[in-house]
Amino acid sequence: MSSLTQPATAFRHTAADGYSLGGFCWRHAQPNPLRPLVIINAATSVRCRYYARFADYLFAHGCDVLTYDYRGIGESRPPSLRGFQASWSDWGRLDFEAMLAHAAQAFPGQPVDVVGHSFGGCAVGLAPSAGQVRRVVMVGAQFAYWRDYAADQRWRLFGKWHLVMPLLTRAFGYFPGKRLGWMEDTPAGVVHDWTTRTPRYEHRPSGRRLQGVPFAQVRGATLAISLTDDPFGTVAATERLLGYLQGAERQHLRIAPVDISVEKIGHFAFFHDRFRGSLWPIALAWLQQGGLPEEVPGTVIK
């Protein structure tokens, strides 16, 4: 991370079940109870290092920032994933919850905001202490219901993620995504959650074990950003997740590449440095003010 304007500091925090999680922190030298702390929740099986430049941007604009890896991934990976127990719900109710506990200990009194990418948006609502979060920005957030995939790519994605992925997971005891160049290696329980073909999160394997209604505790003002060329984050997928957040103020901003004069953005590129001047200020404005900038690209979905 030497290319960043502000070096990040590695940290570890132990979740309630004793599992040690690793991540990185961008922290200003002088404490300020008014300064927001932003926690970045990664997409499924994407290392937290992927978000380092975006975290550095938030730091440069007055935020303290935490990035971290869910159990089984990156800085939080065990020696072997074969037989390792982890699920989507564990990533939210234990791992993101651990980051909220770390925030309370290390950044006492500071407002806590969250940026959640893909499943990282769902993880917000799975933590018991999610009511502590002041503001949320979700990017491409959904929980992979296959009928919500973009129509022109639905069957290709279904074959890749709902047929090939579970078959390889059964053979290896985890999903060997890294050697395929698809993503990081992934625990079998996460794959089981992802590939279960139900439109309700509480009907996913680990969702059935949750106590209470998932996402109901979220109260923070929430902005969902979806991209028109993201085959996962369609309007249907985004609205399906937002439908759970009945206790939060919600806005859905849909952006097309042409709105910012580029050819493509897709599911991952929002966090690429080339969008520092076009997309990142939208997220920053929401985190700082709880609203959209006056001159915002895209369309607000009513």
Side-chain angles (χ1 to χ4, degrees):
M1 296 192 180
S2 58
S3 63
L4 301 175
T5 59
Q6 168 69 22
T9 302
F11 75 94
R12 302 202 70 82
H13 187 88
T14 302
D17 66 339
Y19 195 85
S20 179
L21 302 165
F24 298 93
C25 174
W26 285 255
R27 183 171 193 165
H28 290 80
Q30 297 299 322
N32 184 344
L34 300 180
R35 180 185 300 123
L37 168 67
V38 181
I39 301 173
I40 298 178
N41 286 348
T44 296
S45 302
V46 175
R47 296 188 68 165
C48 69
R49 290 174 178 266
Y50 182 77
Y51 306 93
R53 288 179 175 80
F54 180 70
D56 190 63
Y57 167 86
L58 296 178
F59 174 85
H61 286 82
C63 304
D64 292 327
V65 188
L66 295 179
T67 66
Y68 70 103
D69 283 314
Y70 308 119
R71 62 188 61 205
I73 307 298
E75 307 300 316
S76 304
R77 178 170 177 154
S80 174
L81 283 180
R82 189 180 297 273
F84 179 72
Q85 299 298 309
S87 68
W88 263 351
S89 295
D90 291 336
W91 285 0
R93 71 181 181 88
L94 292 172
D95 299 352
F96 175 55
E97 177 72 10
M99 293 305 109
L100 292 175
H102 182 71
Q105 294 172 12
F107 302 84
Q110 293 182 220
V112 177
D113 299 332
V114 179
V115 174
H117 180 206
S118 195
F119 169 76
C122 302
V124 178
L126 300 175
S129 301
Q132 299 175 9
V133 176
R134 181 184 65 163
R135 293 172 187 152
V136 181
V137 174
M138 299 178 174
V139 179
Q142 33 67 48
F143 50 87
Y145 176 49
W146 71 275
R147 290 186 183 275
D148 288 341
Y149 296 158
D152 62 341
Q153 300 185 53
R154 184 173 300 144
W155 292 110
R156 179 183 66 82
L157 295 173
F158 181 87
K160 181 177 181 178
W161 300 116
H162 297 268
L163 295 178
V164 174
M165 183 164 64
L167 286 173
L168 288 176
T169 300
R170 192 172 299 119
F172 285 85
Y174 66 96
F175 179 61
K178 195 167 185 178
R179 71 185 69 183
L180 297 172
W182 290 7
M183 57 184 187
E184 293 295 309
D185 296 342
T186 307
V190 171
V191 173
H192 198 192
D193 280 332
W194 184 339
T195 57
T196 298
R197 304 167 199 170
T198 171
R200 301 294 298 177
Y201 186 87
E202 63 269 31
H203 297 158
R204 300 292 168 109
S206 70
R208 291 194 292 265
R209 298 193 295 271
L210 291 173
Q211 295 182 350
V213 180
F215 316 107
Q217 62 272 42
V218 177
R219 296 289 182 268
T222 300
L223 171 65
I225 299 173
S226 66
L227 295 313
T228 60
D229 63 335
D230 176 358
F232 297 100
T234 60
V235 171
T238 305
E239 292 294 319
R240 187 177 301 281
L241 176 57
L242 288 178
Y244 279 97
L245 307 182
Q246 296 297 317
E249 172 196 338
R250 295 157 288 170
Q251 287 200 44
H252 178 183
L253 178 65
R254 186 127 176 107
I255 301 173
V258 69
D259 293 332
I260 57 169
S261 302
V262 298
E263 292 186 2
K264 59 183 179 179
I265 305 170
H267 190 59
F268 291 100
F270 181 98
F271 297 97
H272 289 185
D273 191 66
R274 66 179 179 272
F275 296 119
R276 173 183 297 266
S278 54
L279 297 179
W280 292 5
I282 301 170
L284 179 65
W286 189 270
L287 296 173
Q288 290 181 330
Q289 305 161 18
L292 292 169
E294 288 187 9
E295 300 293 330
V296 65
T299 303
V300 175
I301 305 295
K302 301 298 184 181

